[in-house]
Amino acid sequence: MMYVILGCVAWAAGWMLNVRLANGPRSDERLMQILIPLIFGATIIVMWEMFVIGFNVNPVFLPRPTDIIARMAGEGPRLWADFHQTIIKGALSGYLIGGLAAFAVAILADRSEFLTRGVIPVGSFMAALPIVGIAPIFVKWFGSDWESKAAVVAVMVFFPILVNTVAGLRDTTKMQRDLMRTYGAGYWTTLIKLRLPATMPFMFNGLKIATTLALIGAIVAEFFGSPTVGMGFRISTSFGQLALDMVWAEIVIAALAGSGFYGLVTLLERGVTFWHPSQR
């Protein structure tokens, strides 16, 4: 019971500290914006540890954070191999393929109203395809290695990037386009100097949405066929062996990778769209 009380005390202390920092005079500083979520996350981990020990929870049901960290430290090479197979080969490759394809199709659709009206419904149809339905088909087509996972990811990220890019290309006003024409600018000059810069905030919204879809798609696709490596494969086999600490270790790595991927795209967005009001 003492550990449960310690967990409650840790939660109360972390809550009070975060409230003071959030309402303090320096709350808008970058350090505080990083420190507050770190304290909140650390508080949850400490409370999780104390509650699991205090209530004597079966580790098969819910392992302690310290057990998960110990597993991550002891299985470093295997976890890195899984990360490389799923995230770098499968998710990142599919993300790049789907993003480039969506951008190219958006440019083509922008040239034709007929294509715009035809591509968007087809893209929405592709977005509605259930991943558990297309993953085994792609595994059959492309094999059980990372190529089939990249294909699943490419299909999943295609639609959000396409829709946002098409919306961005249409965001410029008639006055802005007329002004470019008075300067003698043709289609490609107007596209490069006016419409593509205006598209960037929209396109980055699609890219940020696609970061989480890419990881989900790559991991879930591995449930339907994979070589003996990969995060989805490891989660499936470890769950069958009741090695829940290994399952949680893979989940933690996937969450950290997804957060880092999203943060990287956000930093890139700030560098490219520094002029946009949303970045001021």
Side-chain angles (χ1 to χ4, degrees):
M1 194 63 184
M2 181 180 297
Y3 287 102
V4 176
I5 296 174
L6 289 175
C8 294
V9 171
W11 172 259
W15 183 275
M16 292 174 61
L17 178 59
N18 265 347
V19 168
R20 175 168 294 186
L21 293 175
N23 296 326
R26 302 173 57 188
S27 60
D28 293 333
E29 294 182 3
R30 179 62 59 86
L31 177 61
M32 291 300 159
Q33 293 177 356
I34 298 174
L35 187 60
I36 291 172
L38 285 178
I39 293 174
F40 185 78
T43 303
I44 292 177
I45 292 174
V46 171
M47 188 174 64
W48 177 358
E49 179 82 16
M50 295 296 103
F51 278 23
V52 169
I53 297 175
F55 289 112
N56 196 24
V57 179
N58 190 328
V60 173
F61 180 73
L62 183 66
R64 293 185 294 172
T66 50
D67 293 337
I68 298 171
I69 295 172
R71 171 69 80 162
M72 293 173 67
E75 297 284 355
R78 181 179 296 180
L79 291 171
W80 167 250
D82 293 340
F83 176 87
H84 185 266
Q85 174 74 15
T86 303
I87 305 300
I88 297 179
K89 287 185 176 181
L92 187 57
S93 298
Y95 183 85
L96 293 175
I97 294 170
L100 291 174
F103 182 77
V105 171
I107 296 296
L108 291 175
D110 181 64
R111 297 280 293 182
S112 169
E113 185 67 24
F114 168 75
L115 283 177
T116 301
R117 294 184 179 185
V119 165
I120 298 300
V122 173
S124 63
F125 173 77
M126 293 175 61
L129 293 174
I131 183 175
V132 294
I134 64 173
I137 296 174
F138 281 15
V139 169
K140 198 72 173 177
W141 286 354
F142 300 104
S144 61
D145 209 345
W146 64 269
E147 292 88 352
S148 57
K149 286 66 183 178
V152 172
V153 171
V155 170
M156 292 186 68
V157 306
F158 178 82
F159 180 68
I161 299 175
L162 172 66
V163 170
N164 281 275
T165 304
V166 170
L169 288 171
R170 295 172 174 266
D171 187 56
T172 54
T173 65
K174 187 176 185 300
M175 182 179 295
Q176 291 172 325
R177 294 191 295 270
D178 288 343
L179 180 62
M180 292 296 290
R181 279 194 290 269
T182 61
Y183 290 147
Y187 172 80
W188 292 107
T189 303
T190 303
L191 177 69
I192 294 172
K193 294 188 176 181
L194 173 64
R195 303 182 68 199
L196 280 183
T199 304
M200 289 298 112
F202 291 85
M203 190 172 71
F204 273 105
N205 283 336
L207 290 173
K208 288 189 290 187
I209 294 171
T211 55
T212 54
L213 294 176
L215 267 68
I216 293 171
I219 292 174
V220 173
E222 288 184 341
F223 291 164
F224 299 93
S226 175
T228 57
V229 65
M231 302 179 77
F233 167 81
R234 195 72 58 200
I235 290 172
S236 178
T237 55
S238 297
F239 183 80
Q241 298 167 356
L242 298 181
L244 269 295
D245 52 350
M246 188 64 173
V247 173
W248 277 99
E250 296 283 4
I251 292 173
V252 169
I253 292 174
L256 292 175
S259 300
F261 194 10
Y262 185 91
L264 183 62
V265 175
T266 302
L267 288 176
L268 184 60
E269 178 188 20
R270 290 180 181 177
V272 173
T273 63
F274 60 91
W275 48 269
H276 196 264
S278 64
Q279 303 298 331
R280 297 174 187 169

